[in-house]
Amino acid sequence: MKPQTRFIPAMHFRWLTPYFDVLTNWTLPDRELKERLIEQAEIRPQHKVLDLGCGTATLALLIKQRHAEATVIGIDIDTEILKIARRKVQDAGVTIALHEATSVRLPYPDGAFDRVLCSFAMHHLTHADKRRASAEVFRVLRPGGELHVLDFGKPHTAYCLSVSFVLRWTEELMENIQGLLPRIFQDAGFIDVEETSQRATLAGTVSTYSARKPS
Ligand SMILES: C[S@@+](CC[C@H](N)C(=O)[O-])C[C@H]1O[C@@H](n2cnc3c(N)ncnc32)[C@H](O)[C@@H]1O
């Protein structure tokens, strides 16, 4: 199924797509942040895990390295970024299914996943799409399944606050910066919604969140 919707590419400008991994590593402690998210998710060997807005599959690959027996699937709307992801997965010699789909219409049955992880993809979605995607994640998680998110959050230092005045006009960052992601997850039906960490980075406050579908 080919997604039809418009989207913001990984590094905003299409011509920057090939440099996404390099630029991300310049601006963020990317690996450290993703590893912390994976730790938080407490993935088990039998788990089926979805990486939502997987980009170049960095997170999906880290999950598979840490949890070789878990089933890992990545979805992204962008054909071009998925070409890079497929190369990386092939080079790593692991099995990760990568699907081209939109987060707002997931091509999976109800209750198909134990965990959904999402890093730096929520801020690419409009307010309405953040809500639609959260509802879709809720639908595809099994009862008791968990959502774990890493993304820009509400500024918590003077430096991060000043960066946020620039960032709020880029991509779809307003709800992130206003600290509204937990509210959006709650509105989708999630419980135990928490901001689990905040970290100051060159690009502003980066937060992690966790949320659970009721059993
Ligand atoms: C900043 S990148 C993050 C990629 C990856 N998760 C990471 O942390 O390295 C955001 C990703 O979200 C994807 N994206 C944007 N809109 C989307 C949508 N509606 N459905 C699925 N993916 C989307 C983009 O194509 C891009 O790969």
Side-chain angles (χ1 to χ4, degrees):
M1 180 178 60
K2 280 254 170 191
Q4 300 297 317
T5 38
R6 286 158 60 92
F7 66 95
I8 304 169
M11 209 30 99
H12 196 91
F13 301 108
R14 162 58 69 219
W15 61 273
L16 284 176
T17 299
Y19 311 108
F20 177 74
D21 282 349
V22 174
L23 292 172
T24 301
N25 283 311
W26 274 354
T27 48
L28 292 169
D30 192 54
R31 190 181 172 117
E32 231 180 292
L33 291 167
K34 285 180 164 70
E35 278 178 345
R36 201 202 165 286
L37 185 75
I38 294 168
E39 208 173 294
Q40 171 181 304
E42 296 186 340
I43 294 164
R44 302 276 170 256
Q46 75 281 7
H47 276 177
K48 201 167 165 190
V49 184
L50 180 66
D51 178 2
L52 191 76
C54 65
T56 59
T58 304
L59 178 66
L61 279 162
L62 283 173
I63 297 169
K64 198 68 187 166
Q65 275 167 17
R66 300 278 171 289
H67 303 281
E69 288 171 48
T71 303
V72 182
I73 295 178
I75 78 112
D76 200 286
I77 198 168
D78 182 2
T79 316
E80 295 307 311
I81 204 103
L82 283 174
K83 283 182 191 161
I84 301 173
R86 291 200 170 99
R87 262 201 312 274
K88 283 171 65 177
V89 166
Q90 194 174 4
D91 290 350
V94 293
T95 303
I96 296 174
L98 294 169
H99 299 149
E100 189 177 324
T102 172
S103 313
V104 304
R105 218 170 30 253
L106 294 173
Y108 310 110
D110 298 358
F113 293 93
D114 301 283
R115 296 284 184 270
V116 175
L117 274 64
C118 178
S119 70
F120 297 111
M122 279 286 162
H123 75 274
H124 281 243
L125 304 177
T126 61
H127 178 65
D129 281 354
K130 281 185 184 75
R131 288 180 164 272
R132 286 191 194 109
S134 302
E136 274 294 83
V137 169
F138 188 84
R139 180 182 68 74
V140 302
L141 275 170
R142 65 158 165 84
E146 296 173 12
L147 166 66
H148 294 273
V149 174
L150 167 68
D151 214 316
F152 296 105
K154 192 171 178 178
H156 72 300
T157 67
Y159 169 77
C160 292
L161 184 64
S162 55
V163 172
S164 77
F165 285 112
V166 181
L167 283 186
R168 69 181 61 216
W169 304 115
T170 63
E171 302 187 341
E172 295 291 343
L173 272 154
M174 197 61 106
E175 291 98 12
N176 290 60
I177 285 167
Q178 289 176 336
L180 295 177
L181 289 185
R183 177 66 191 271
I184 292 172
F185 303 147
Q186 272 162 359
D187 288 349
F190 285 100
I191 59 169
D192 300 338
V193 179
E194 257 187 86
E195 184 178 37
T196 49
S197 73
Q198 283 182 317
R199 174 143 180 198
T201 73
L202 196 60
T205 295
V206 171
S207 296
T208 49
Y209 304 91
S210 66
R212 190 165 60 81
K213 180 168 173 169
S215 301

